[in-house]
Amino acid sequence: MLNDLKDFLLNDFFVTGDPLILGSQVAIALSIVAIVFVLTYFKKWKWLWTEWLTTVDHKRIGIMYIIASLLMLFRGGVDALLMRVQLAAPQLEFLHADHYNQIFTTHGVIMILFMAMPLMFGLFNIVLPLQIGARDVAYPFLNALSFWLFFWGAMLFNVSFVIGGSPDTGWLAYPPLSGLQLSPGVGQDFYIWGIQISGIGSLATGINFVATILKMRAPGMKLMDMPMFAWSVLASCVTIMFAFPILTVTLFLLFLDRYLGAHFFTLDAGGNPMMYINLIWMWGHPEVYIVILPAFGIFSEVVSTFARKKLFGYKSMVFALMSISVASFFTWAHHFFTMGSGANVNAFFAITTMIIAIPTGVKVFNWLFTMFRGRITFSTPMLWTIAFIPCFVIGGMTGVLLSVAPADFQFHNSYFLIAHFHQVLIGGVVFGYFAGLYYWWPKLFGFKLHEGLGKWAFWFWNIGFYVCFMPQYVLGLMGMTRRFNEYDFDMGWQPLNIVSTVGAFLMGIAFIFQVWQIAHSIKFLKKEKTGDAWDGRTLEWSIPSPPPVYNFARLPQVSGRDPWWEEKQRIARGEQPSPLPPLEPIHMPKNSGIPFIMSFFWFVAGFGFVWDWKWMIIPGLAGVVICMLIRSFSYDTDYYISVEEIERTEAKLRGAY
Amino acid sequence: MLMAALLSGCTDKVIVLDPKGPIGEAQKDLIYLSTILCLIVIVPVLLLTAWVVWRYRDKPGRKAAYKPEWEHNTKLEIIWWTIPILIIIALGTVTVKYTYALEPSKPIESEKEPVTIQVTSLDWKWLFKYPDEGIATVNYVNIPEDVPIRFQLTSETAMNSFWIPQLGGQIYTMSGMAMTLYLQADEPGTYYGSGANFTGEHFAKMTFDVNAMPQEEYDEWVKQAKASGNPLTEEGYEQLKIPGTTGTHTFSSFPKGLFEKVVNQYAVGGSAHRHHGAAPGGESESRKEDAGAKGEHAHTPAASPSPSGGSHHAGH
């Protein structure tokens, strides 16, 4: 009995036998001990619980999203560097095939779902309510629940690294490879439940922000007066609402196949793997637009602020955003032109894919003409934006090349494709979110990040990017296919692979610069006291940094676009600021531990499903249900901030001016 | 940057741009054509970006105009909605034309009769069967030059993708389906082929050589293969199915209808189909194996006419 247990723990439960993983296990254990020690020593447990784990404040939730996503960026980045080392020379035996397969799978899943998505949600949370003059999102409790579902889902996925083994069938896990017969291990189950749990959170966030935008705008703010970032959030969240249910259902069907022996995606008994591939891309393609659209919004804000000029072609921009959001649902089959759908289908999806290039191109022109006759300053957010344009234009062009269906027969699954999607995801999404992070950082924390170190990071990222990915286009044309863990000497792939690896490490150095930059800026804290760090244009810059819990002491009255800029112009012209209405008590949501606890029960249930431990599944699911019931019957969920307290807070925050 | 990359691509290692057959040739032309069409738009955009950023940078004593309120111009916006639309119409037209012309299941026009080769992807090896010649190979394929080859493709396991860059684009191999891909080599040579879609642990080992040779040489090779006295038996195929890698093999014959059997094994009422419930006991101890979807355990190797065949090409 004891021997059985030992056998299970060493052979199945813990991943053993690999020094890299052993090292990580030790590191993880040490980090946990260190964190527990620090929290106990400084008596911070209560603070952690009341200020952070139970918070429903959108700003704090946003900060937690961003911290989590930067950690995931680190993890996914280490995965990438390991892969690049393995590919630096032919027949290298740095990583075994099965280990390599796990790493590219987790790299993809983590970067898209646990890095890009939470970084995006973090920016939504921090910026959107402030931009539209709201005091929180429409459903603050749900917002906290979304975050914790993401968090515990991500934990469940990441734990597979040291417990049970990681998934190894690629980031979209095509059956039959991801089916039980060809992937009998638990890695694939970690994949299903990790993504499933966090995916529910993503869907809820989508609904939450659509409701917030439609119902919570400041008095007088018409939809066509919203900042472009708010429009991009709307476009992204509407896409989430339609795309994520597809993911949930698809993963659930895959779960049924694996857990109950159903046959949705196996050929036996009338199932079909092609159904999975269609479904997963019906989510997967919109997914990449979900993450890129907010980046477009960020660029629009940054360009306008740092060119000190109104955004050019607002209506065109709105139309372009919304049409991309709709069109993204009609292109999915371009991911499998080579699966024999026939000429009619391929022609249709080639055309729909190309059509997306039109609104995207229009946006580029509008950004250029925002800068045209502007007065451009080159702070870090603007640098990222300017670097984005050529990068995304080239990445977009190779995307159009891939959409040419008969040519795609030669590009598909090759490094040409790898280079393309990294170019649009790094050059578009990552550059965009970095621009946003640098831009709104002072709003978030009340101090700017060190510009000099930021510029070092910027150049390392950019040069590293081109050194890493330009060779991969050529490697694709040399016949190198994705997911190869080794290649032969005679293919002539080595020189370019070495260049590519060097580029990857340059980006790694860039990340170190960013960590240094953050640490340095915290240490030599230079308080940013105006609340308006960049001479901004939109409402978030009209309040102190960091904003008080209620954001706006008085809800702003808005007429027209760029309300804060217009207000500043009026004051500069010597006009009287509009008279302030009297303060009123502010209605706010109360903190709640239920989102954290309920999501933890999801984690427990998910872990139980992964190992098929009913003794764990049942209490896990029961915990979820009980949390729902408790929440449904609790009526003491809100409170009022009194006028005196608002006055005190405002005096303290604004007195510092 | 990309231009430079493409231009530097004129070496013989950039095999996609160095095609040796009509399909690859047409695809290369299409790649060049679509690249040029795209460059017509993006080169001016890149230049414009550089100019705007330089011209309107903020510095003391700058002479460039500054119009902070200028936010709309219908004419300009119509222009840049129109330009991409026109380019996409042009590119779309070309694409649709080529999509029909290069549909992989469309026979290549030739005076010569096509040679049929049946391709099965296994874990982790390729099986090629020549139904008309009655021979089979593993991990290499010989073809006559200047003759259209009709590849029929399926998979015994996860889906792979059959790609010979210098002859033309890839097509997936999928279990339960037979796909068709016409390719042709215009000159003799050895061409690189690979499985382009991930299929698990040793997927990177699934590369193979395609040897295109003059008709006489090819005929001679077929004759030798037939005379080699090394048949692929039913049993041998079962051995071959076991996950693992292997070198190259040549078989003098293979079980009749093997390809069709592999393709049809999942069809309701198909010859080899049985439910997983019939899996023999003892083999499946955990739920994972018990729910095994394809019912592979249910296959009992059919009585083999030649018991000696399958020993040396088992998976390692």
Side-chain angles (χ1 to χ4, degrees), chain A residues 198-397:
Chain A
S198 70
I200 301 168
S202 303
L203 179 58
T205 305
I207 295 167
N208 209 341
F209 278 85
V210 169
T212 307
I213 290 169
L214 294 182
K215 301 299 288 183
M216 309 265 296
R217 274 168 288 129
M221 184 184 273
K222 300 194 202 91
L223 275 175
M224 287 308 273
D225 290 341
M226 286 202 304
M228 196 52 62
F229 179 69
W231 269 109
S232 72
V233 175
L234 183 63
S236 173
C237 288
V238 168
T239 314
I240 288 177
M241 281 171 60
F242 286 96
F244 266 76
I246 306 176
L247 175 69
T248 308
V249 169
T250 311
L251 288 179
F252 188 67
L253 297 181
L254 185 63
F255 161 72
L256 291 181
D257 272 13
R258 290 179 61 86
Y259 193 73
L260 297 179
H263 294 287
F264 291 101
F265 307 130
T266 57
L267 283 161
D268 243 13
N272 195 334
M274 279 310 294
M275 188 160 78
Y276 180 93
I277 289 165
N278 274 286
L279 284 170
I280 201 75
W281 281 116
M282 280 181 200
W283 160 77
H285 196 79
E287 165 64 16
V288 296
Y289 289 92
I290 287 168
V291 290
I292 192 69
L293 289 172
F296 291 165
I298 293 167
F299 294 127
S300 304
E301 301 292 324
V302 171
V303 153
S304 170
T305 301
F306 291 93
R308 302 176 61 76
K309 189 159 162 287
K310 281 186 176 164
L311 184 65
F312 195 87
Y314 181 94
K315 283 181 190 163
S316 266
M317 289 291 234
V318 170
F319 181 71
L321 277 176
M322 297 317 276
S323 57
I324 292 172
S325 165
V326 174
S328 71
F329 283 95
F330 297 94
T331 67
W332 79 88
H334 70 214
H335 294 275
F336 42 93
F337 281 143
T338 56
M339 285 190 187
S341 327
N344 290 337
V345 172
N346 281 3
F348 174 82
F349 282 98
I351 300 290
T352 53
T353 306
M354 289 176 191
I355 285 174
I356 294 210
I358 299 169
T360 315
V362 167
K363 299 180 78 65
V364 172
F365 281 113
N366 279 337
W367 289 318
L368 285 181
F369 275 76
T370 304
M371 292 193 276
F372 181 76
R373 293 181 186 165
R375 189 172 282 174
I376 308 168
T377 47
F378 298 97
S379 300
T380 35
M382 190 60 174
L383 282 181
W384 286 103
T385 306
I386 291 169
F388 148 81
I389 292 176
C391 199
F392 198 77
V393 165
I394 297 169
M397 168 183 145

Side-chain angles (χ1 to χ4, degrees), chain A residues 588-626:
Chain A
M588 294 298 288
K590 267 191 181 164
N591 284 1
S592 167
I594 293 177
F596 181 86
I597 297 167
M598 183 168 147
S599 307
F600 176 72
F601 277 120
W602 267 116
F603 173 85
V604 171
F607 198 81
F609 273 118
V610 168
W611 294 96
D612 193 19
W613 289 341
K614 304 224 169 30
W615 56 268
M616 202 165 175
I617 299 172
I618 292 165
L621 290 180
V624 171
V625 173
I626 290 167

Side-chain angles (χ1 to χ4, degrees), chain B residues 141-162:
Chain B
V141 57
N142 285 2
I143 57 171
E145 64 165 325
D146 265 335
V147 178
I149 311 295
R150 183 164 70 115
F151 288 106
Q152 293 179 303
L153 307 113
T154 192
S155 174
E156 179 65 77
T157 170
M159 39 178 85
N160 209 315
S161 193
F162 179 77

Side-chain angles (χ1 to χ4, degrees), chain B residues 85-98:
Chain B
I85 288 175
L86 291 178
I87 292 287
I88 293 302
I89 288 174
L91 189 60
T93 313
V94 175
T95 301
V96 171
K97 205 179 122 232
Y98 272 89

